[in-house]
Amino acid sequence: MSAPETSAQQWKDTPIAPVLRLQAVSRVHGAGPAEVHALSGVDLDVLPGEFVAVMGPSGSGKSTLLTLAGGLDAASSGRVVVEGQELGALTTRALAAVRRRSIGYVFQDFNLVPALTAAENIALPRELDGLSARRARTEAQAALAEIGIAELADRFPDEMSGGQQQRVAIARALIGERRLVLADEPTGALDSSTGEAVLAVLRARCDAGAAAVMVTHESRHAAWADRVVFLRDGRLVDESGPARVEASLRVGLGNLGGSGGSDTAGDTE
Amino acid sequence: MSIRHGLLALLDQGPRYGYQLRTEFESRTGSAWPLNVGQVYTTLSRLERDGLVEPSGEDDEGHVFYAVTEQGRQELRSWFDTPVDRRSPPRDELAIKLAMAVTVPGVDATAVLQAQRGHTMTALQALTRLKARALAAVERPGAAGPDLAWLLVLDQQVFQAEAELNWLNNCETRLIRHAARPARETAVREGERER
């Protein structure tokens, strides 16, 4: 183990660029007496390989945080940076490109295109990226195999269970160069054990280097994350979980092909 | 009395010696409640005193085997048939701490609550990592009964930690509502209580 330890030391000292960075982000709706602070001065970094869960009572700003991180809404002040690009500084067209190429979304109701098979649903964003249908299809097959549902490739959404559809949605969110998945209550429509299988897939994707931010109101589901942050009245009030050094360390070792990163919760497949 | 009945249940499958019992108990409950061999022998001698088990010979290495008696079997049946009593839950340190925090002047109850929430969530994350492994073990071909038993025990701890977190979130909301009440109403309520 001496070689990986040396590498670990090196990685500890090397800053890893976050996939998502929120700096003093605020979002204000309305003005004057009707002013509502949906989010106030939120700082959050999500590194490659990191799975962050966001919890808080309804109205605490969870969904606002997710829409701002995904470039679906603009911050009133502060910076939202995805893969090194500050979303507020981009043209509409450039922002659309970042949304399409860097960010994947997973919603409670799966949002698969009903007329397309699982493989076609996953291939769709890659075809929009300009890939040939054939290559996109090959990538989609590989993505399905990677999360252990290769046999579902030719099924249509209404031929799959909720848990299967959600796993397809995760594969679609992370196809190609996408490394950031934003998930809004992804297990909300699923029973307990199916929800667990979906979280295991998300966990495994993060262990393989993706970054995820998941909004959930279930502690049991949030506990699959590396870090859990709590929002209240638009502010981050506290957080739990190991120091982020560990997550970056794990990815660092993974990148170097070391074996030190294998002992994680994602070893479920 | 859970160790007592746990050992009876293991002995119901055939005679065993102390160290074996410890290993089998732990393989079903994981490291959740580690047993030392001393506890096992103390429990066995009490079970023997009460006529629920009896010595049943030694092997070549000098291990003393115990077997369950008919009376022990009846005791075990009635244990399985009777629900665990939940009507008088044991004292809970955290509930007492929060009860004190909201009444003792100069204590920031919200800070106490948030610190606990962070701690409990970290514990829940650790349990979830164990559970991910246990889930994988149960799904492997050839998974055995003890794998399933360990997963069930982990699930119980996960649900318990979750319940505590739900309760803490609920407390937080109540504290916020309480603080937001008009001051006069507070004064009237407190006056009522004193009467």
Side-chain angles (χ1 to χ4, degrees):
Chain A
M1 281 304 287
S2 68
E5 268 162 32
T6 315
S7 321
Q9 194 52 49
Q10 284 168 356
W11 273 91
K12 212 180 231 169
D13 299 336
T14 311
I16 292 176
V19 177
L20 170 68
R21 164 165 282 181
L22 304 183
Q23 270 180 328
V25 169
S26 298
R27 180 69 175 98
V28 183
H29 298 291
E35 201 173 87
V36 177
H37 291 259
L39 218 55
S40 306
V42 167
D43 292 308
L44 181 70
D45 275 5
V46 186
L47 299 175
E50 210 178 16
F51 183 1
V52 175
V54 182
M55 296 196 77
S58 37
S60 61
K62 301 189 299 277
S63 295
T64 304
L65 188 151
L66 217 56
T67 51
L68 291 176
L72 301 168
D73 183 18
S76 307
S77 64
R79 284 155 41 92
V80 178
V81 184
V82 174
E83 300 277 21
Q85 291 195 279
E86 189 188 339
L87 301 188
L90 298 176
T91 62
T92 313
R93 199 192 168 107
L95 178 62
V98 170
R99 281 210 302 252
R100 204 175 63 240
R101 295 203 186 115
S102 304
I103 307 171
Y105 304 88
V106 175
F107 303 95
Q108 181 171 333
D109 50 3
F110 324 132
N111 277 30
L112 298 178
V113 181
L116 300 180
T117 64
E120 287 164 352
N121 261 287
I122 298 172
L124 185 63
R126 292 301 274 157
E127 289 186 51
L128 294 174
D129 287 348
L131 244 65
S132 72
R134 195 195 180 113
R135 236 192 97 195
R137 169 96 192 173
T138 312
E139 279 190 15
Q141 295 281 10
L144 280 166
E146 213 159 34
I147 60 172
I149 48 172
E151 72 280 7
L152 299 180
D154 297 322
R155 297 249 193 109
F156 289 94
D158 65 4
E159 297 167 342
M160 290 185 276
S161 71
Q164 290 170 334
Q165 289 187 58
Q166 198 61 303
R167 275 175 280 183
V168 170
I170 292 172
R172 181 181 61 180
L174 290 169
I175 189 87
E177 302 301 306
R178 291 163 189 76
R179 285 201 302 172
L180 176 60
V181 54
L182 302 174
D184 196 352
E185 300 278 4
T187 52
L190 305 173
D191 66 55
S192 191
S193 63
T194 313
E196 224 154 49
V198 165
L199 289 163
V201 166
L202 206 49
R203 174 74 262 173
R205 297 289 77 214
C206 290
D207 290 336
V213 180
M214 172 177 76
V215 162
T216 179
H217 63 271
E218 300 238 31
S219 319
R220 188 160 32 92
H221 293 165
W224 284 79
D226 297 298
R227 277 195 293 150
V228 183
V229 300
F230 296 88
L231 277 174
R232 205 182 74 205
D233 299 331
R235 293 176 188 282
L236 283 186
V237 288
D238 55 354
E239 71 171 70
S240 79
R244 69 190 50 161
V245 170
E246 281 181 41
S248 60
L249 204 58
R250 196 175 61 224
V251 174
L253 291 170
N255 288 348
L256 292 171
S259 60
S262 63
D263 188 28
T264 66
D267 294 348
T268 55
E269 291 177 288
Chain B
M1 284 295 103
S2 54
I3 297 176
R4 194 176 151 92
H5 290 105
L7 298 190
L8 273 182
L10 293 172
L11 289 174
D12 194 36
Q13 300 162 56
R16 281 154 168 75
Y17 57 89
Y19 187 78
Q20 260 181 330
L21 286 168
R22 186 189 110 158
T23 312
E24 290 187 26
F25 187 89
E26 288 192 352
S27 77
R28 282 159 177 80
T29 58
S31 47
W33 305 285
L35 271 187
N36 63 49
V37 153
Q39 274 171 298
V40 173
Y41 282 109
T42 312
T43 308
L44 280 173
S45 65
R46 286 190 194 138
L47 286 168
E48 188 184 352
R49 178 198 65 197
D50 298 341
L52 304 178
V53 304
E54 60 196 7
S56 140
E58 286 181 25
D59 67 7
D60 297 343
E61 288 160 56
H63 296 124
V64 181
F65 282 72
Y66 287 86
V68 69
T69 62
E70 188 43 44
Q71 202 189 330
R73 239 171 234 125
Q74 278 171 19
E75 170 71 24
L76 181 63
R77 268 312 121 213
S78 101
W79 183 57
F80 279 127
D81 290 343
T82 315
V84 172
D85 190 7
R86 295 294 195 212
R87 285 167 303 183
S88 46
R91 245 182 251 127
D92 184 88
E93 184 183 347
L94 180 55
I96 294 170
K97 190 186 275 193
L98 271 183
M100 293 302 153
V102 295
T103 45
V104 175
V107 179
D108 182 349
T110 305
V112 170
L113 186 155
Q114 287 178 356
Q116 184 67 46
R117 184 169 58 188
H119 175 87
T120 306
M121 181 48 92
T122 305
L124 180 55
Q125 286 171 277
L127 284 168
T128 304
R129 283 189 280 274
L130 287 175
K131 199 174 106 173
R133 271 182 230 148
L135 273 171
V138 163
E139 274 157 30
R140 253 195 301 272
D147 291 325
L148 178 63
W150 172 221
L151 179 60
L152 295 183
V153 169
L154 274 173
D155 278 337
Q156 189 260 359
Q157 300 195 1
V158 164
F159 280 112
Q160 220 159 46
E162 186 190 30
E164 183 166 298
L165 288 164
N166 289 345
W167 173 63
L168 287 168
N169 288 334
N170 193 59
C171 290
E172 187 183 40
T173 308
R174 283 201 201 284
L175 285 177
I176 293 167
R177 283 213 195 120
H178 188 82
R181 282 191 316 165
R184 228 187 58 193
E185 194 191 333
T186 314
V188 170
R189 287 264 167 82
E190 274 169 15
E192 275 171 7
R193 202 179 301 154
E194 274 162 31
R195 249 178 276 145

